[in-house]
């Protein structure tokens, strides 16, 4: 794809407009979807789509992360109008479900999927509210655009002015049938999940990072299509063992956050360690993320 627009939308946040190189119409997508940009180092980075779900252009916004793996630096320094980039997707593990009403909570660059949700909910005439926090107004992207969409539904929480988001005030009284969507730093997501426990509301989250725990005993998996048995050593990664055995699995983040390596499970019980699957999806035990997850009851039979 080709970069056709670039705008600094907050301090250290740049928004990119992407169009197909041949001018063809972009595939439609739904709020919560992300795409992968292939960097020059071969790694793929995931960024939420935040523009209009249907149209000739995709939009992402990228925060420069000085302590990251270099992907955001590459975006900020190299993806200028006219540059081309390999893109995969969209994928969506953060879809809007049907609900009586919605509460959207965003922290920092977590506003990107939340903005797309706000736009769609407003168009539907749904009942919804949004709370958006950041370090300061200067670092909070899309404030004016979100305010135009949400109006009085929007509450801003710049930390330097108002402190951290007051979750008790934002959540208010329990509202059965309300869906809560949260995206942002891990402490915010964890706080929302804890505050919402026992309230009869569902919490949907999207994380930028996960604490990867690779400890665990050795286990075996069986490849359903061939019967091949692959042994994963203690402390080893399932995806590495599959690759070494010649079983190809597409992957990207290797942290259990992007969903690229999602694999069907036909037998056994996986030990889920990803940050993608919902509790309901984990309980079904019919898919897993082999980049981080392991085995509770084996052998695992993988739909490969």
């Amino acid at each position: 794809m080709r970069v056709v627009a670039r705008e600094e939308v907050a301090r250290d946040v740049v928004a990119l407009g992407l169009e197909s190189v041949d001018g063809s119409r972009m595939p439609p997508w739904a709020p919560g979807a992300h795409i992968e940009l292939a960097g020059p180092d071969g790694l793929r980075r995931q960024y939420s789509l935040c523009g209009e779900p249907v149209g000739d252009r995709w939009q992402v916004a990228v925060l420069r992360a000085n302590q990251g793996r270099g992907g955001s630096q590459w975006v900020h320094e190299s993806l200028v109008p006219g540059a081309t980039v390999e893109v995969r997707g969209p994928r969506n593990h953060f879809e809007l479900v049907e609900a009586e009403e919605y509460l959207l909570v965003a922290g920092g660059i977590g506003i990107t999927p939340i903005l797309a949700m706000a736009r769609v909910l407003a168009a539907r005439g749904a009942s919804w509210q949004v709370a958006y926090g950041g370090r300061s107004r200067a670092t909070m992207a899309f404030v004016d655009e979100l305010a135009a969409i949400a109006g009085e539904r929007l509450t801003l929480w710049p930390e330097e002015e108002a402190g951290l988001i007051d979750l008790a005030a934002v959540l208010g009284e329990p509202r059965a049938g309300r869906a809560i969507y949260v995206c942002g730093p891990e402490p915010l997501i964890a706080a929302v999940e804890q505050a919402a426990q026992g309230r009869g509301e569902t919490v949907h989250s999207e994380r930028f990072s996960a604490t990867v725990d690779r400890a665990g005993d050795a286990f075996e998996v069986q490849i359903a299509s061939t019967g091949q048995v692959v042994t994963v050593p203690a402390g080893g990664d399932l995806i590495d063992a599959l690759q070494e055995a010649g079983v190809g699995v597409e992957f990207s983040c290797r942290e259990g956050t992007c969903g690229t390596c999602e694999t069907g499970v036909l037998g056994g019980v996986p030990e889920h360690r990803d940050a993608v699957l919902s509790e309901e999806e984990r309980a079904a035990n019919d898919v897993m993320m082999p980049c981080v997850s392991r085995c509770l009851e084996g052998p695992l039979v993988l739909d490969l």
Side-chain angles (χ1 to χ4, degrees):
M1 289 185 179
R2 178 176 287 112
V3 179
V4 295
R6 176 185 171 102
E7 179 185 3
E8 188 170 333
V9 291
R11 185 188 301 157
D12 289 331
V13 179
V14 64
L16 303 178
L18 302 170
E19 293 183 0
S20 62
V21 173
D22 62 7
S24 60
R25 191 169 180 81
M26 306 292 277
W29 53 276
H34 69 261
I35 58 175
E36 297 180 357
L37 304 185
D41 56 3
L43 295 179
R44 298 180 179 274
R45 277 79 174 186
Q46 296 77 42
Y47 301 107
S48 296
L49 289 165
C50 56
E52 295 288 346
V54 178
D56 299 326
R57 179 178 298 184
W58 284 347
Q59 184 186 54
V60 295
V62 180
L63 170 68
R64 184 192 293 269
N66 295 323
Q67 303 303 317
R69 295 181 294 173
S72 66
Q73 297 279 5
W74 160 69
V75 170
H76 277 249
E77 295 170 6
S78 301
L79 293 190
V80 298
T84 59
V85 59
E86 181 186 343
V87 178
R88 288 187 182 177
R91 299 175 183 271
N92 200 338
H93 292 278
F94 195 41
E95 295 179 273
L96 274 174
V97 299
E98 290 296 324
E100 296 177 13
E101 58 182 301
Y102 301 83
L103 172 62
L104 312 179
V105 183
I109 198 62
I111 191 58
T112 48
I114 297 299
L115 176 63
M117 292 178 181
R119 189 178 287 115
V120 167
L121 292 175
R124 288 181 187 174
S127 174
W128 61 285
Q129 300 285 327
V130 56
Y132 177 21
R135 295 191 306 277
S136 67
R137 289 181 185 269
T139 65
M140 296 169 68
F142 302 117
V143 169
D144 292 342
E145 186 172 347
L146 184 60
I149 296 168
E152 294 182 353
R153 295 183 179 91
L154 171 63
T155 305
L156 292 178
W157 295 84
E159 185 176 348
E160 68 177 16
E161 300 175 26
L164 298 176
I165 296 176
D166 184 343
L167 292 180
V170 168
L171 291 172
E173 294 298 319
R175 305 175 74 89
R178 180 170 66 175
I180 301 172
Y181 281 80
V182 55
C183 184
E186 175 59 30
L188 172 63
I189 295 175
V192 171
E193 290 175 338
Q194 182 176 7
Q197 286 183 354
R199 293 170 53 95
E201 300 160 311
T202 58
V203 178
H204 307 265
S205 61
E206 183 169 62
R207 287 172 159 86
F208 300 137
S209 62
T211 301
V212 181
D213 177 9
R214 290 183 162 83
D217 295 334
F219 62 96
E220 291 185 341
V221 299
Q222 184 177 25
I223 309 307
S225 63
T226 64
Q228 179 183 3
V229 175
V230 177
T231 299
V232 182
D237 290 339
L238 169 54
I239 204 161
D240 285 342
L242 292 173
Q243 296 288 107
E244 291 171 5
V247 181
V249 178
E250 185 179 354
F251 63 91
S252 178
C253 71
R254 295 189 63 102
E255 295 179 345
T257 61
C258 74
T260 301
C261 66
E262 181 176 314
T263 300
V265 178
L266 303 179
V269 179
E271 181 182 4
H272 299 289
R273 299 186 180 183
D274 64 273
V276 174
L277 298 176
S278 67
E279 291 302 318
E280 293 78 9
E281 290 169 326
R282 290 184 174 208
N285 286 322
D286 55 4
V287 296
M288 69 181 297
M289 305 299 162
C291 67
V292 292
S293 298
R294 302 185 69 80
C295 176
L296 285 177
E297 296 179 15
L300 292 176
V301 181
L302 302 183
D303 189 13
L304 293 170

